[in-house]
């Protein structure tokens, strides 16, 4: 389960012919089990579009990871299919860490007009984005809607509770180990590329556009 796609252990294992499966990561030609992050982020940004939002920003994850790239791709896809022009000014690069959620949200809040909705590529960044908004007196979701990704336990204790995307973590681990056993059984001849669906969890951190808002 490497954090980045170019992790040295991946090439080392492949070169040595060791049977392995990437978990929550992907590289061409290698076995993997992952969640469908494009579909997950598409669902959540599509939800914003259906609520009437047009200035939808995103704080990306680390774009050196499959998850970071896929979640940005899902964001773009939802905008495109919703008839909303892609605006590079509304895309800021985070790194999945707490501090980047706070810093990048501060930047988004400095834009005029500011976004009405923000998709954060994980829950850690989302809770800090919420803090940045509360510090300047914004109401969530009345003034700005914020969503996260991963549905960590603390999303329920956030104020307001965060809408998020739940990954099938148990199923991913279970399928990955089963895949390794199948590959061993077939003497390395079996190929496994599996994407599992996510679930959008609706809570209180996003709402529809107020008629008076642009």
């Amino acid at each position: 389960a490497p954090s980045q796609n170019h992790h040295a252990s991946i090439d080392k294992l492949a070169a040595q012919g060791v049977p392995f499966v990437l978990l929550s990561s992907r590289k061409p030609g290698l076995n993997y089990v992952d969640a469908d992050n494009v579909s997950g982020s598409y669902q959540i940004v599509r939800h914003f579009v259906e609520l009437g939002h047009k200035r939808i920003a995103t704080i990306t994850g680390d774009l050196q990871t499959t998850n970071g790239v896929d979640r940005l791709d899902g964001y773009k896809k939802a905008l495109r299919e919703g008839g909303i022009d892609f605006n590079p000014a509304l895309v800021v690069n985070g790194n999945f860490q707490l501090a980047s959620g706070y810093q990048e949200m501060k930047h988004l809040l400095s834009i005029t007009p500011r976004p009405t909705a923000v998709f954060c590529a994980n829950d850690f960044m989302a809770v800090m984005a919420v803090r940045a908004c509360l510090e300047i007196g914004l109401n969530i979701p009345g003034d700005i809607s914020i969503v996260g990704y991963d549905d960590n336990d603390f999303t329920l204790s956030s104020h307001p509770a965060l809408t998020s995307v739940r990954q099938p973590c148990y199923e991913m681990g279970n399928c990955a180990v089963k895949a390794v056993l199948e590959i061993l059984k077939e003497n390395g001849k079996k190929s496994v590329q599996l994407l599992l669906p996510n679930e959008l969890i609706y809570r209180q951190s996003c709402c529809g556009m107020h008629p008076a808002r642009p």
Side-chain angles (χ1 to χ4, degrees):
S3 59
Q4 295 190 332
N5 299 346
H6 57 261
H7 198 285
S9 62
I10 298 175
D11 295 334
K12 184 176 181 180
L13 288 170
Q16 293 178 346
V18 177
F20 71 97
V21 172
L22 293 174
L23 179 60
S24 196
S25 183
R26 301 193 307 279
K27 285 192 75 172
L30 299 181
N31 300 305
Y32 64 80
V33 173
D34 199 359
D36 191 344
N37 286 283
V38 174
S39 175
S41 58
Y42 170 86
Q43 288 180 63
I44 209 158
V45 178
R46 182 69 186 178
H47 180 53
F48 278 151
V49 174
E50 291 171 347
L51 289 172
H53 294 278
K54 297 187 182 300
R55 288 188 60 77
I56 304 170
T58 184
I59 302 175
T60 76
D62 183 349
L63 297 181
Q64 297 299 313
T65 66
T66 303
N67 289 347
V69 172
D70 284 355
R71 293 174 194 184
L72 178 58
D73 286 346
Y75 163 85
K76 292 178 179 178
K77 179 182 178 183
L79 293 184
R80 183 170 61 250
E81 294 189 5
I84 299 173
D85 291 336
F86 175 73
N87 183 351
L90 296 179
V91 177
V92 292
N93 293 335
N95 59 12
F96 290 130
Q97 303 301 314
L98 288 165
S100 70
Y102 182 82
Q103 293 163 0
E104 300 305 334
M105 190 69 218
K106 285 288 192 181
H107 172 74
L108 290 173
L109 293 173
S110 72
I111 298 173
T112 304
R114 67 172 177 249
T116 62
V118 181
F119 163 50
C120 301
N122 76 352
D123 294 331
F124 291 111
M125 296 190 298
V127 295
M128 296 305 289
V130 168
R131 176 179 291 184
C133 292
L134 295 178
E135 283 181 355
I136 62 171
L138 293 180
N139 174 270
I140 300 168
D143 295 317
I144 188 168
S145 293
I146 296 176
V147 298
Y149 203 108
D150 292 330
D151 195 40
N152 285 296
D153 291 342
F154 59 78
T155 56
L156 283 170
S157 59
S158 173
H159 298 287
L162 277 173
T163 293
S164 188
V165 173
R166 178 178 296 163
Q167 294 200 83
C169 296
Y170 178 88
E171 291 81 1
M172 289 166 62
N174 185 275
C175 289
V177 175
K178 286 181 177 178
V180 170
L181 294 175
E182 285 293 319
I183 292 167
L184 289 170
K185 184 178 178 180
E186 299 294 328
N187 294 317
K189 297 177 182 179
K190 185 178 180 64
S191 178
V192 177
Q193 285 89 36
L194 181 62
L195 286 178
L196 300 179
N198 294 301
E199 181 184 2
L200 179 56
I201 306 299
Y202 301 93
R203 296 197 180 95
Q204 292 80 47
S205 64
C206 56
C207 70
M209 286 289 293
H210 189 281
R213 290 164 65 187

